[in-house]
Amino acid sequence: MSGLWFEDLTEGLVVEHATRRTVTETDNVLFTTMTMNPAPLHLDHDYASRTEFGRPLVNSMFTLALVVGLSVPELTLGTIVAQLGMTDTVFPSPVFHGDTVRVETEVVQARASRSRPDAGIVVFAHRAHNQRNDVVCTTRRTGLMHRRPAS
């Protein structure tokens, strides 16, 4: 287990996540087809070549899932009870095949759970950038986190 306990997730903590990920065309095609999204902007090179982007866009739902996934090892692996929700998700710049995504996370709120004495509620602000340092996704994610077990 490499995630942090509720007590370690103090407001203002910023984590630069160690793992970065280059997105492939296969990632995009598999995710897009598995999630039943037939948008030609993600799948049809000819169609996408005639858009303002000139090439296929990576499915934004894949980008969001990748952003959260890249944060898991240092934040929530083995220490989260449940994900409670996400808000304020935006995609300021597109992600294309071949882009490398990196993520940093800030703890923006942390409080003890009123109903679960063994847990706390933490709001994470994730920020993802590509290799050109363009912001490609920001989101706030709320997690119910385990408290550190008694020794």
Side-chain angles (χ1 to χ4, degrees):
M1 167 171 22
S2 60
L4 299 176
W5 302 106
F6 169 72
E7 291 81 3
D8 302 320
L9 295 164
T10 57
E11 291 180 18
L13 174 70
V14 176
V15 176
E16 300 274 343
H17 300 289
T19 303
R20 300 164 13 133
R21 175 75 149 63
T22 300
V23 178
T24 68
E25 182 176 10
T26 300
D27 294 327
N28 191 42
V29 169
L30 287 176
F31 185 90
T32 298
T33 57
M34 282 191 306
T35 58
M36 304 299 290
N37 180 345
L41 190 55
H42 303 309
L43 299 171
D44 183 332
H45 281 261
D46 179 57
Y47 173 90
S49 74
R50 291 181 270 116
T51 69
E52 65 185 277
F53 305 106
R55 54 190 165 150
L57 293 180
V58 170
N59 186 316
S60 59
M61 294 297 97
F62 175 81
T63 300
L64 179 60
L66 179 60
V67 168
V68 171
L70 289 172
S71 76
V72 167
E74 290 101 345
L75 290 180
T76 62
L77 185 61
T79 56
I80 192 168
V81 177
Q83 181 164 278
L84 301 178
M86 300 181 87
T87 62
D88 306 317
T89 301
V90 296
F91 304 98
S93 297
V95 174
F96 297 104
H97 306 152
D99 281 352
T100 299
V101 176
R102 66 178 172 79
V103 177
E104 66 182 19
T105 302
E106 180 178 356
V107 175
V108 293
Q109 185 179 2
R111 68 168 178 83
S113 170
R114 292 182 196 89
S115 62
R116 297 181 66 144
D118 61 339
I121 297 171
V122 177
V123 178
F124 302 100
H126 300 296
R127 293 179 292 274
H129 299 83
N130 64 18
Q131 68 279 6
R132 292 176 301 282
N133 208 35
D134 301 325
V135 176
V136 296
C137 178
T138 62
T139 191
R140 286 185 179 232
R141 176 170 70 115
T142 302
L144 182 64
M145 302 299 299
H146 286 291
R147 286 185 174 273
R148 185 183 314 282
S151 44

